[in-house]
Amino acid sequence: MYKNKTYHQLVVHLCLILFCAMCLLPMVLTVSISLTDGSVIQKYGYQLIPSRFSLQAYTYIFMEPSTLLAGYKNSLLIVIVGTLGNLLVTSMVAYSLARRDFQYRGQISFYIFVTMIFSGGTVPLYILIVQYLDWKNMLISLIVPAFAAPFQIFMLRVFFQEIPPALIESAKLDGASDVRTYLSIVLPLSKPALATVALMMTLHYWNETFNAILFIDHTAQYPIQLVLKNITTYIEMVKNGGVDPSGQPVSASDVPSDAMMYAMMVLTSLPVMFLFGFLQKYFVKGLTIGAVKG
Amino acid sequence: MRTEALRKRRKPIAKNWQLMLMSLPAIVKIFIFSYLPMIGIVMAFKDYVPVKGIMGSAWNGFDNFAFFFQSADAWKILRNTLGLNAMLIVVELLSGVFFALLLYEVTTKKMLKVYQSVMFFPYFFSWVLVGLMLTTLLNPATGMLTTLIRELTGHEVAFYSKAWYWLIILPLVAIWKGTGFNSLIYYSALMSIDKELFEAAEIDGASKAQSIRHISIPFLLPMMVMLTILAIGHIMRADFGLFYFVPRNVSALYPVTDVLDTYVFRALTVNGDFAMSAAVGVFQSIVGFVLILGTNRLAKLFNKEYGLF
């Protein structure tokens, strides 16, 4: 019996370790290729551990960092304004819906739920934003459409319902208004839940590419994912064809190496990786609670 | 008497006005960005000319739908959308449950945390990045996997020009990116099982497989059904990033990777064909709506508690 159990545990851990290695491999590979000397890649292909280190790709990128920095700036703006605004709008409605004495909670819940199962589609939304709101090439077109996502409203509502109603009732007896109870009781008590939802929003805003392609044409307004997409497309075009996108031939000495492409990939995902390092603990915990309660 | 009754009816509004006010931003946002576009559905039945606007354009009945469904691509795109999404629903369900069960067997807290964190890693990457990282493995000349296959078998495998490879690659990428999240949902459900059930089963001589089959799986079933209903409701809407950025929009791969969402996206960005894209969008919405009502009905027939609404 005992022997059987150790064997069993061994299989479980082996499977998990194998899968975890697969999860890490692409990023490790990306980082190491970005640090590999260009000539080595040409000769031996990609290597897990570079036989000759080089920071050349990074120094090359930072010689002219304006595109990258503009991308960082735009994306940071989107993430900060978007996450704070979205968190406020979403948590306020979620709080109202969590209050059992709110007269219209049934109707409002239904109003939100309908949008979960039926939508007008991409094209009417596109026309609304571009023609009627005139938000083309404005970062707000990437921020506001993500506000008040039904899934996140309902998730926060579940969390808020966990707060003992007696707590809110007694505050109200002491003369606190609904806004007051929201600000000084509900929000402070829901920090883990708010952190989880905030992380989900941040992730969405940082990685969003679909709307960015639709709504942003000006390079100065490019969020980081579009910068990554365009620079890597450019590098590949140059690598494969020897001409830049406008058809101009590029001389061999200007040809950026593979390493540069991978350095770009590392640089654009760096903030996300930091975030992952610091917050994944809360994220996993928050989602676990949410899933059990929901 | 009447004023008394009136005041009584008005009272809740006066009492809840702050809550109403707090809900207002969300209500307005949802109205503008979800309900107004529903009116835009009429576009699908019009010969849309941007200068004339939606209301000013002439009606053309079902011409836009006919244009799409009679095109040579329609069948291929519908097949890809339904087939690949059905495949994704199944593999994501299986991998989620499988890894949740594996994680549940891990007894050391520290290892569990490490596994869960690492499995969550790919979830944080954008699809653009995932698509680029995949070229590291699959690039025709320098990719690690292509090089490995070349050295082992002498065959040259061209992943980016043979479409059918992506029938396998896309589900694998979906598993790779989504399992951290999917398994967590099922794992947290498993956490709420009374441990005594397993102990009792073990005393009665049940094997591991038996206790999984008779305790864990039945316990997870309602959640599996619920998430599957939701997924089936979205079967017409593919995950755009997975189908666009991961195969890198290579046209040689369209026979497998082109789905309704990428088709609409291209019609919109490359051809500027609004009316036909709108028609496809309406088709997606209506089929999705019918499917979600249908599967919900079916789930309820099966077991009353499985229904979503």
Side-chain angles (χ1 to χ4, degrees):
Chain A
M1 193 66 192
Y2 179 68
K3 205 176 165 192
N4 197 359
K5 256 189 178 160
T6 20
Y7 171 71
H8 176 80
Q9 280 284 312
L10 196 73
V11 173
V12 166
H13 283 271
L14 261 179
C15 285
L16 284 168
I17 288 171
L18 208 68
F19 189 71
C20 284
M22 264 172 57
C23 288
L24 286 179
L25 179 75
M27 199 63 222
V28 174
L29 209 56
T30 304
V31 173
S32 66
I33 295 173
S34 77
L35 291 170
T36 310
D37 195 279
S39 59
V40 177
I41 299 177
Q42 297 257 311
K43 215 166 172 186
Y44 304 106
Y46 302 140
Q47 294 170 317
L48 198 53
I49 298 149
S51 50
R52 199 187 311 155
F53 277 97
S54 157
L55 282 172
Q56 204 185 9
Y58 291 92
T59 48
Y60 197 89
I61 289 173
F62 280 107
M63 263 171 16
E64 217 174 303
S66 58
T67 327
L68 183 68
L69 290 182
Y72 273 136
K73 195 198 80 194
N74 291 330
S75 277
L76 272 179
L77 197 72
I78 293 169
V79 163
I80 291 168
V81 176
T83 303
L84 290 178
N86 196 354
L87 203 57
L88 185 72
V89 171
T90 305
S91 65
M92 284 199 306
V93 70
Y95 167 66
S96 303
L97 295 178
R99 283 274 300 267
R100 286 179 201 284
D101 57 332
F102 183 35
Q103 195 191 3
Y104 301 105
R105 60 193 289 256
Q107 286 99 312
I108 296 177
S109 295
F110 181 73
Y111 173 82
I112 297 167
F113 179 69
V114 168
T115 66
M116 273 178 108
I117 57 173
F118 193 78
S119 84
T122 313
V123 183
L125 187 69
Y126 174 83
I127 290 180
L128 174 81
I129 289 175
V130 171
Q131 289 193 352
Y132 290 88
L133 297 171
D134 209 9
W135 281 356
K136 183 99 185 170
N137 284 316
M138 288 163 78
L139 294 184
I140 192 173
S141 65
L142 307 181
I143 294 175
V144 175
F147 276 19
F151 177 73
Q152 289 168 353
I153 294 175
F154 291 134
M155 198 177 149
L156 269 185
R157 183 182 68 173
V158 171
F159 278 113
F160 290 161
Q161 276 170 345
E162 291 301 306
I163 298 169
L167 222 57
I168 292 163
E169 274 160 32
S170 68
K172 293 210 72 173
L173 282 178
D174 290 342
S177 64
D178 288 327
V179 176
R180 186 88 243 159
T181 53
Y182 161 75
L183 287 176
S184 32
I185 297 176
V186 174
L187 288 191
L189 282 177
S190 320
K191 273 183 202 147
L194 291 171
T196 307
V197 176
L199 188 61
M200 284 170 85
M201 291 170 177
T202 302
L203 209 57
H204 167 84
Y205 282 124
W206 188 266
N207 286 342
E208 213 287 316
T209 326
F210 181 76
N211 286 340
I213 297 178
L214 285 182
F215 301 132
I216 309 290
D217 286 338
H218 296 168
T219 27
Q221 255 71 48
Y222 271 5
I224 197 79
Q225 299 301 332
L226 274 197
V227 173
L228 174 68
K229 181 177 168 288
N230 279 25
I231 290 192
T232 47
T233 310
Y234 176 80
I235 293 176
E236 282 190 331
M237 257 182 176
V238 169
K239 222 170 64 183
N240 297 335
V243 288
D244 75 5
S246 56
Q248 302 284 320
V250 183
S251 71
S253 59
D254 290 342
V255 175
S257 59
D258 277 272
M260 220 181 104
M261 191 167 114
Y262 286 89
M264 267 311 288
M265 286 159 69
V266 173
L267 287 172
T268 50
S269 53
L270 218 53
V272 179
M273 283 198 274
F274 263 109
L275 208 68
F276 175 79
F278 287 119
L279 292 177
Q280 57 81 19
K281 202 165 64 189
Y282 304 101
F283 196 52
V284 171
K285 204 190 276 170
L287 280 176
T288 316
I289 300 166
V292 172
K293 301 280 163 63
Chain B
M1 273 305 262
R2 278 190 81 173
T3 43
E4 184 85 328
L6 258 178
R7 197 183 305 146
K8 236 184 190 162
R9 276 187 63 187
R10 223 174 23 216
K11 214 178 149 199
I13 305 177
K15 204 180 85 187
N16 285 144
W17 71 271
Q18 287 193 340
L19 293 180
M20 199 60 216
L21 200 71
M22 287 166 81
S23 318
L24 208 59
I27 292 175
V28 171
K29 186 266 158 182
I30 290 171
F31 179 76
I32 296 175
F33 290 90
S34 299
Y35 282 91
L36 279 185
M38 288 183 198
I39 304 171
I41 285 175
V42 298
M43 263 185 77
F45 306 96
K46 289 195 162 201
D47 181 18
Y48 178 73
V49 182
V51 204
K52 290 185 188 164
I54 295 176
M55 293 308 149
S57 299
W59 295 95
N60 68 354
F62 285 90
D63 283 6
N64 297 323
F65 292 89
F67 183 72
F68 171 70
F69 285 104
Q70 283 165 6
S71 73
D73 294 331
W75 154 244
K76 179 190 79 185
I77 291 165
L78 281 175
R79 179 200 62 192
N80 291 348
T81 310
L82 286 174
L84 279 165
N85 273 339
M87 205 151 113
L88 288 179
I89 291 172
V90 173
V91 295
E92 280 176 0
L93 177 76
L94 291 180
S95 71
V97 171
F98 176 73
F99 280 99
L101 289 171
L102 276 185
L103 285 170
Y104 192 66
E105 295 301 318
V106 176
T107 41
T108 37
K109 266 239 156 72
K110 214 171 182 179
M111 286 308 280
L112 179 72
K113 271 200 180 133
V114 173
Y115 289 143
Q116 278 185 327
S117 302
V118 173
M119 281 163 70
F120 239 102
F121 201 45
Y123 183 76
F124 279 65
F125 297 141
S126 71
W127 282 116
V128 181
L129 190 70
V130 173
L132 288 169
M133 289 197 295
L134 201 64
T135 63
T136 318
L137 298 176
L138 307 182
N139 235 10
T142 46
M144 287 190 85
L145 197 63
T146 25
T147 322
L148 191 74
I149 293 173
R150 189 190 306 129
E151 274 166 15
L152 285 181
T153 66
H155 284 291
E156 201 66 56
V157 194
F159 287 108
Y160 285 95
S161 45
K162 280 243 171 61
W164 70 266
Y165 286 123
W166 293 81
L167 278 177
I168 302 152
I169 296 169
L170 289 177
L172 283 179
V173 172
I175 291 176
W176 176 78
K177 198 170 191 291
T179 296
F181 190 91
N182 293 332
S183 66
L184 188 71
I185 292 170
Y186 293 111
Y187 176 79
S188 33
L190 284 174
M191 290 289 281
S192 54
I193 300 181
D194 195 346
K195 286 261 198 278
E196 280 176 24
L197 279 175
F198 290 107
E199 282 158 21
E202 205 178 326
I203 290 167
D204 288 347
S207 70
K208 199 89 231 171
Q210 279 172 324
S211 52
I212 286 174
R213 187 166 144 23
H214 294 287
I215 303 172
S216 308
I217 299 285
F219 195 85
L220 290 178
L221 211 57
M223 190 168 263
M224 287 157 73
V225 173
M226 192 184 86
L227 292 177
T228 307
I229 293 175
L230 269 180
I232 291 177
H234 288 130
I235 201 165
M236 288 311 238
R237 295 197 186 280
D239 188 336
F240 176 78
L242 176 65
F243 290 93
Y244 188 82
F245 295 117
V246 175
R248 318 217 56 213
N249 195 22
V250 173
S251 51
L253 305 181
Y254 286 167
V256 166
T257 62
D258 204 15
V259 288
L260 285 167
D261 287 273
T262 51
Y263 184 76
V264 168
F265 181 79
R266 276 205 321 277
L268 206 59
T269 53
V270 183
N271 312 325
D273 193 341
F274 290 93
M276 198 262 295
S277 320
V280 176
V282 168
F283 172 71
Q284 274 179 303
S285 289
I286 289 172
V287 173
F289 183 68
V290 171
L291 278 175
I292 206 163
L293 293 185
T295 39
N296 189 55
R297 205 29 160 333
L298 210 69
K300 267 182 169 165
L301 275 180
F302 191 48
N303 183 333
K304 265 223 153 69
E305 285 180 9
Y306 285 176
L308 209 59
F309 45 84

